[in-house]
Amino acid sequence: MKIQKNIDRRSFLKSSALAGGGMMLSFSWFSEAKAAEKVEALNLADQWSELAAYIKITPDNVVKILVPNPEFGQNVMTSLPMMVAEELDVDWKDVVVEMGTHDNVKYGPQFTGGSNSVRMYWKPLRNAGAAARQMLIEAAAQTWGVSATEITTKAGVLSHSSGKTAKYGEMAAKAATLTVPKEVRLKAPKDFSIVRNSKKNTEGLKVVTGKPLFGMDYRVDGMLIAMIQHPPAFGMKLKSFDATAAKKMPGIKDVFSFKLYDDGFEQAGFDTRTFNEMIAIVGNSTWEVMNARKKINAQWEAAGDLKETMMGRGGKTEKIVPGRLETTSLQFELMAEYAKKPAQQLRKDGDPEAAFKNAAQIIERTYNAPFLAHNTMEPMNFFAHVEADKALVAGPIQAPGWMEPTLIKLLNLPADKIEIQMTRMGGGFGRRAYAQYAYEAARISQKMKAPIHLIYTREDDMTYGIYRPMYTATYRAALDVNKNLIGFHVIGGGIPENPVHANRFPAGAVDNYLAEGWEIPSNITIGAFRAPRSNFNAAAEQSFLDEVAEAMGKDPIQMRLDLLKRAKENPVGKNNDYDASRYIGVLELLKEKSGWGKPENAGKKRGVAAYFCHASYAGHVVDMVMRDGQPYVESVTSAVDCGVVVNPDAARNMVQGAVVDGIGQSFYGALTHKDGVPEQNNFHNYRMIRHNEAPKKIDVHFVENDIDPTGLGEPPFPPVFGAVANALFKTTGKRYYNQPFMSEQSKS
Amino acid sequence: MAKYSLKINGKTQQVDVDPSTPILWVLRDHLNMPGTKFGCGMAMCGACTVHLDGNAVRSCSLPVSAVGKSAITTIEGLSANGTHPVQKAWLEHDVAQCGYCQSGQIMSASALLKSNPNPTDEEIDAYMSGNICRCGTYLRIKEAIKAAAKK
């Protein structure tokens, strides 16, 4: 991250043009077909030759690769440059990596989330690298007066059969004057020399030496610190406040209330707002602002039902947000009532009613889960400097592109007067796709006419969240007299969204299938959380399948394989959204690597689960023991099919992290409410998994194939929940239906 | 407000702050040393860990008035350029994911190894359990600590 004062990136490009020398070719990654048409020539500062917008090569052969997507621990600052470097054919040690700037027009969404970064850049970034390499070859061909086909490259060196050689840096300035090729040839996976070879985190040294990388570390001269006092309960609003005492506290500049959105504001999908009117407190330093905030005397009142105007793909809609002050136990009761009501049919195959009527045995189980708080280690924060004619905002954000249209509306400034800088994020897990905290920072800066850094305390972060929804699902399985699975029914719902993925396994594997869903609106704000619906479903469905396998008298892996074989060879229905072959591949690898069913593992208390989400497949075998009277996951074997693994060691790290996260969330995670007030507000009452609770060993195995990468951030996480639930049954003899599992343990 | 003379990373630094100000905010806001991180403000997560006379302490809950003549070491002062054995082990094991908690983890780990140069797994768990890693890098942290212990 660069700590800099307002430098308008567009004026930066303009002033470079005046500086003279060199050229830049820029094109959009997202409209590859148009790449050659969009070539524009610009002069550029003389020390760098920009061959493509995100690749720069210096005369002394340093290759700088800018990363388009924000980093939140998924390792894109390393894996995305590896993809460019592979096709560019440079020595990895010559590569310098930097976070790119934000530009919706040139670079598209620059979105981190949905396990999408590597997946969506796999072709565009390799194309860019290959195009640049081809231009360097052409430059050498013209310089040497030889045919381009006679020139080869290796690790940043161009060679001709005559013995002529040149480093890329020597040809970069000339290459930059050439036309971007219309077609490029990409390497076959067998020829990869950087991709599939583990590379260390390019920001590792900065992390271990405490360099300012994160949003919290952003500062400029004259910057003020801001905090927010939000209503104490969901469903409440500001009535009045007296800030006389707070304003007298040392270092305090101002205390005022502000509205996030004006009345009638049309919210886009990620413009989630928890509260619309809040009190801002602004001062010189964090501690002074924290202390003065305690002196604000505010009165709050019930907000009542609120109307929100949403702008979605289908146009403008109005939504009523109910004013009810929620209490978790009552919410679970309400969900149980809804589960009995007629619901929306999501998918139906065959005749499920008849299957259940004719069944020799019906198994029915209900699963519940509470809200979860993201609890990123870096609390929400954002820098903003809004001036009359321009604005700079900077901080940890997963979706910078979605912020821009909203900031245009909030600040009444054109896009080219709003600069968005992306910092490294201290975790995200979906939370930072919702830029509410950045908009708040912009509002406060607008009022103060000064650069401000809005900081949430841990309490703000946890009690003012955009949580993983509450969910419930009831599963029913019909077995015939021969213990064959003849019918399957899932009905699920939640506050405020339905979790059911109607077209996922075991849809497609059972002749008679019914999926239904329902929703209960609420004023508690919810959002993405490392595959929110999937992490609930994988817990519920995968522990249900375990019970069904038991009733069928089958091994749980074999039972899944049998169903998947059916789905592969003779699928039921049309819209099955998973690839049964890849699912089978993961289960077979898991079976082999875990030694499933082997005599030497007979004494182990093992649970298994596998799940498909986003576009990848993952499964785990969890080995559990009792330790000091508590269940403890001692070791885990994981198998994943995410296509080509770009950076294997970092990918293993992420899978290990997903396993630890999954154990922690399923054991302890819960954000509950009483009369709208969150009952947890910091790590003393929101339990997080800690060192001593992590497994001793997590072995990660990837299915080896040449499928284009299909994503890794989320897929290994959901099946952990199911595998843990199934291991708990083996360990304790008791089935766990309600998350978090350890709270159920403590009740029984 | 009161004036304090603090020994930080071998240098003496003057600050004029409220006596209740935690060292975390003295470092971050007043001395422009952002390596020490804010995580919870109540000594529950360990992100703000620094050394006070060589012992790991949570700087978010340590008021400046309580420091006296004790020497503070932060992540910026652990080594000049990432060459402390613990930092090197962290790089070798590619521990970090988001990285936000890691300066606190490293400060705890280096204090542990100073007092116990060859800790068992259980001793590592006991010492390190005050440091939360939301990304779940605990296994690599343990491997890195054991590797650093051998150096």
Side-chain angles (χ1 to χ4, degrees):
Chain A
M1 187 189 75
K2 276 185 221 156
I3 296 183
Q4 57 180 21
K5 293 182 189 172
N6 288 318
I7 296 174
D8 184 307
R9 66 179 181 278
R10 289 163 181 92
S11 67
F12 171 72
L13 287 179
K14 211 169 160 189
S15 67
S16 303
L18 296 173
M23 273 182 151
M24 183 183 84
L25 304 175
S26 75
F27 57 85
S28 164
W29 308 123
F30 296 92
S31 51
E32 294 159 60
K34 291 185 188 159
E37 296 160 30
K38 287 180 81 176
V39 169
E40 49 180 313
L42 292 167
N43 294 317
L44 192 77
D46 53 9
Q47 78 268 38
W48 294 99
S49 297
E50 297 211 11
L51 286 170
Y54 273 100
I55 305 169
K56 300 177 182 180
I57 299 174
T58 62
D60 58 352
N61 231 31
V62 173
V63 180
K64 186 193 252 182
I65 299 175
L66 301 186
V67 178
N69 271 24
E71 169 72 78
F72 68 171
Q74 83 283 38
N75 205 241
V76 283
M77 288 291 281
T78 310
S79 55
L80 298 186
M82 285 172 73
M83 285 147 48
V84 177
E86 178 69 66
E87 296 292 343
L88 184 57
D89 201 5
V90 288
D91 196 329
W92 181 250
K93 72 170 168 38
D94 294 332
V95 172
V96 174
V97 175
E98 262 185 29
M99 183 73 239
T101 52
H102 173 259
D103 191 326
N104 257 2
V105 179
K106 268 192 202 158
Y107 310 121
Q110 297 182 271
F111 171 62
T112 282
S115 304
N116 231 346
S117 297
V118 165
R119 194 179 166 206
M120 83 176 175
Y121 283 104
W122 176 241
K123 287 225 165 101
L125 287 184
R126 287 161 68 226
N127 283 348
R133 174 178 167 271
Q134 217 156 300
M135 290 158 77
L136 289 159
I137 289 175
E138 186 55 39
Q142 288 181 15
T143 305
W144 295 336
V146 300
S147 164
T149 55
E150 294 164 8
I151 295 173
T152 57
T153 62
K154 193 176 182 195
V157 178
L158 296 142
S159 306
H160 182 251
S161 44
S162 63
K164 286 196 172 74
T165 65
K167 290 185 170 176
Y168 280 4
E170 298 168 48
M171 293 294 167
K174 182 169 181 61
T177 66
L178 304 177
T179 308
V180 176
K182 278 191 173 15
E183 285 178 4
V184 293
R185 180 172 294 192
L186 298 179
K187 285 185 183 175
K190 68 175 171 53
D191 298 324
F192 288 157
S193 61
I194 293 174
V195 166
R196 283 184 162 161
N197 290 279
S198 298
K199 302 293 176 203
K200 300 274 192 246
N201 190 334
T202 56
E203 293 201 306
L205 184 61
K206 290 178 187 167
V207 167
V208 304
T209 52
K211 293 288 180 293
L213 287 170
F214 300 93
M216 283 293 275
D217 306 337
Y218 196 97
R219 69 190 58 228
V220 300
D221 291 342
M223 184 182 89
L224 299 171
I225 300 292
M227 287 194 183
I228 279 175
Q229 183 66 54
H230 63 80
F234 288 83
M236 300 286 277
K237 67 173 184 180
L238 181 64
K239 186 181 178 190
S240 64
F241 71 100
D242 176 3
T244 317
K247 281 184 184 174
K248 283 185 190 150
M249 294 287 283
I252 298 308
K253 296 285 185 190
D254 204 356
V255 181
F256 54 91
S257 67
F258 70 100
K259 281 190 175 175
L260 185 64
Y261 300 143
D262 296 326
D263 294 342
F265 180 83
E266 293 171 356
Q267 290 176 243
F270 282 71
D271 287 345
T272 304
R273 66 164 178 201
T274 307
F275 303 106
N276 201 50
E277 189 177 10
M278 288 149 288
I279 304 167
I281 179 155
V282 184
N284 290 331
S285 73
T286 313
W287 186 245
E288 287 170 323
V289 173
M290 276 182 183
N291 284 323
R293 184 168 69 163
K294 293 177 195 157
K295 304 286 185 190
I296 297 172
N297 183 6
Q299 276 76 48
W300 315 93
E301 62 186 350
D305 292 356
L306 292 175
K307 190 168 72 182
E308 287 187 342
T309 309
M310 311 299 295
M311 282 303 291
R313 280 184 202 151
K316 194 153 87 171
T317 54
E318 291 200 332
K319 184 175 95 173
I320 299 296
V321 180
R324 193 176 56 236
L325 300 180
E326 308 272 22
T327 294
T328 302
S329 57
L330 300 177
Q331 287 180 306
F332 277 120
E333 285 175 24
L334 190 64
M335 291 207 298
E337 276 174 38
Y338 266 67
K340 290 178 201 140
K341 293 182 185 178
Q344 187 195 355
Q345 183 177 305
L346 303 169
R347 171 168 169 154
K348 186 176 177 178
D349 298 317
D351 189 346
E353 291 83 2
F356 278 94
K357 200 174 156 204
N358 300 330
Q361 186 186 354
I362 293 173
I363 305 159
E364 178 178 328
R365 301 288 184 263
T366 296
Y367 302 83
N368 294 298
F371 291 113
L372 294 177
H374 293 83
N375 295 339
T376 59
M377 289 310 293
E378 179 193 20
M380 298 307 120
N381 69 92
F382 228 80
F383 169 84
H385 189 189
V386 177
E387 297 174 82
D389 57 349
K390 62 179 175 176
L392 165 67
V393 296
I397 185 75
Q398 287 179 236
W402 296 344
M403 282 173 69
E404 192 174 81
T406 303
L407 285 171
I408 289 168
K409 285 197 279 178
L410 288 184
L411 303 178
N412 198 22
L413 287 171
D416 66 354
K417 294 296 176 191
I418 298 172
E419 180 176 357
I420 299 172
Q421 287 182 18
M422 299 166 285
T423 64
R424 191 178 179 91
M425 290 176 266
F429 309 101
R431 174 63 183 85
R432 289 190 227 269
Y434 307 86
Q436 174 179 272
Y437 51 101
Y439 306 150
E440 291 164 350
R443 283 296 203 207
I444 295 168
S445 172
Q446 196 175 28
K447 172 82 184 351
M448 292 302 295
K449 297 185 169 59
I452 65 102
H453 193 171
L454 172 67
I455 290 171
Y456 282 21
T457 59
R458 177 58 55 194
E459 289 80 3
D460 297 330
D461 191 275
M462 206 181 288
T463 63
Y464 181 20
I466 297 186
Y467 309 113
R468 200 279 310 263
M470 284 178 81
Y471 293 123
T472 186
T474 299
Y475 288 83
R476 292 196 302 149
L479 304 184
D480 67 11
V481 286
N482 298 316
K483 298 193 183 299
N484 295 310
L485 180 62
I486 57 169
F488 194 90
H489 176 209
V490 55
I491 176 169
I495 302 176
E497 69 165 13
N498 149 42
V500 176
H501 290 285
N503 296 318
R504 285 194 188 162
F505 181 76
V510 188
D511 286 316
N512 305 297
Y513 174 88
L514 177 64
E516 302 174 282
W518 48 267
E519 297 180 339
I520 302 173
S522 167
N523 53 38
I524 297 174
T525 40
I526 60 93
F529 187 111
R530 208 170 196 174
R533 296 159 70 198
S534 297
N535 64 48
F536 170 72
N537 289 334
E541 167 208 296
Q542 288 291 310
S543 43
F544 183 66
L545 288 180
D546 211 60
E547 279 201 69
V548 175
E550 192 185 18
M552 292 165 79
K554 280 192 178 182
D555 170 83
I557 291 185
Q558 194 56 47
M559 177 262 202
R560 287 168 173 81
L561 287 171
D562 291 347
L563 286 172
L564 285 161
K565 189 163 176 264
R566 164 73 201 274
K568 182 183 173 183
E569 291 171 358
N570 183 22
V572 180
K574 280 185 186 147
N575 299 319
N576 303 323
D577 65 2
Y578 59 95
D579 178 338
S581 302
R582 294 181 72 188
Y583 216 138
I584 289 168
V586 158
L587 277 165
E588 284 182 338
L589 182 65
L590 187 58
K591 196 172 159 182
E592 177 203 329
K593 297 296 182 187
S594 67
W596 186 264
K598 291 274 169 64
E600 65 266 29
N601 294 319
K604 288 186 179 168
K605 309 293 186 191
R606 322 193 94 179
V608 63
Y611 201 71
F612 157 78
C613 83
H614 293 83
S616 292
Y617 302 76
H620 309 283
V621 167
V622 158
D623 290 327
M624 194 177 275
V625 296
M626 290 301 284
R627 189 180 69 173
D628 305 326
Q630 292 294 319
Y632 167 62
V633 176
E634 197 169 52
S635 64
V636 178
T637 309
S638 304
V640 180
D641 178 355
C642 60
V644 170
V645 180
V646 174
N647 193 9
D649 190 50
R652 274 192 291 278
N653 194 356
M654 193 147 65
V655 176
Q656 291 169 334
V659 169
V660 172
D661 190 10
I663 295 168
Q665 302 292 349
S666 67
F667 266 30
Y668 311 123
L671 193 288
T672 60
H673 295 84
K674 179 141 176 57
D675 299 326
V677 180
E679 293 183 294
Q680 297 76 29
N681 62 3
N682 206 321
F683 296 131
H684 65 298
N685 54 17
Y686 196 112
R687 188 165 172 188
M688 309 284 285
I689 188 165
R690 290 176 181 270
H691 275 273
N692 58 325
E693 295 152 342
K696 293 190 195 328
K697 207 169 119 197
I698 303 172
D699 286 330
V700 180
H701 306 275
F702 291 100
V703 174
E704 285 177 28
N705 59 36
D706 291 343
I707 296 170
D708 288 351
T710 50
L712 190 61
E714 283 145 313
F717 180 61
V720 180
F721 290 63
V724 165
N726 296 336
L728 276 168
F729 171 65
K730 297 288 183 191
T731 309
T732 66
K734 184 174 165 295
R735 291 281 177 188
Y736 285 71
Y737 302 107
N738 300 312
Q739 292 175 34
F741 299 140
M742 288 307 102
S743 74
E744 196 178 346
Q745 167 86 3
S746 61
K747 270 185 248 155
S748 59
Chain B
M1 301 297 237
K3 288 196 166 70
Y4 294 92
S5 190
L6 300 167
K7 262 199 290 183
I8 302 173
N9 298 336
K11 280 200 306 197
T12 302
Q13 306 251 32
Q14 315 289 334
V15 290
D16 186 6
V17 295
D18 186 275
S20 69
T21 310
I23 285 299
L24 169 68
W25 297 114
V26 171
L27 293 168
R28 293 186 59 86
D29 281 359
H30 301 278
L31 297 172
N32 196 17
M33 295 173 69
T36 305
K37 302 301 183 200
F38 170 58
C40 69
M42 60 184 302
M44 290 300 295
C45 79
C48 66
T49 306
V50 299
H51 297 173
L52 192 67
D53 290 335
N55 299 312
V57 295
R58 313 300 182 206
S59 67
C60 73
S61 302
L62 176 69
V64 64
S65 57
V67 171
K69 293 193 178 351
S70 295
I72 296 167
T73 307
T74 72
I75 188 76
E76 290 95 340
L78 193 61
S79 69
N81 197 18
T83 50
H84 186 281
V86 171
Q87 289 168 313
K88 281 163 77 177
W90 245 248
L91 293 173
E92 187 52 38
H93 288 80
D94 217 14
V95 170
Q97 287 188 36
C98 89
Y100 191 81
C101 73
Q102 299 296 352
S103 51
Q105 303 275 2
I106 289 168
M107 294 312 286
S108 286
S110 53
L112 163 66
L113 292 179
K114 207 170 179 189
S115 63
N116 181 356
N118 200 10
T120 63
D121 282 16
E122 289 69 25
E123 286 167 341
I124 294 173
D125 279 344
Y127 197 91
M128 296 299 294
S129 284
N131 288 77
I132 296 172
C133 173
R134 176 68 179 80
C135 301
T137 63
Y138 297 130
L139 281 77
R140 286 183 188 229
I141 289 173
K142 195 181 284 179
E143 282 170 29
I145 291 173
K146 289 200 275 194
K150 286 181 190 144
K151 301 251 165 85

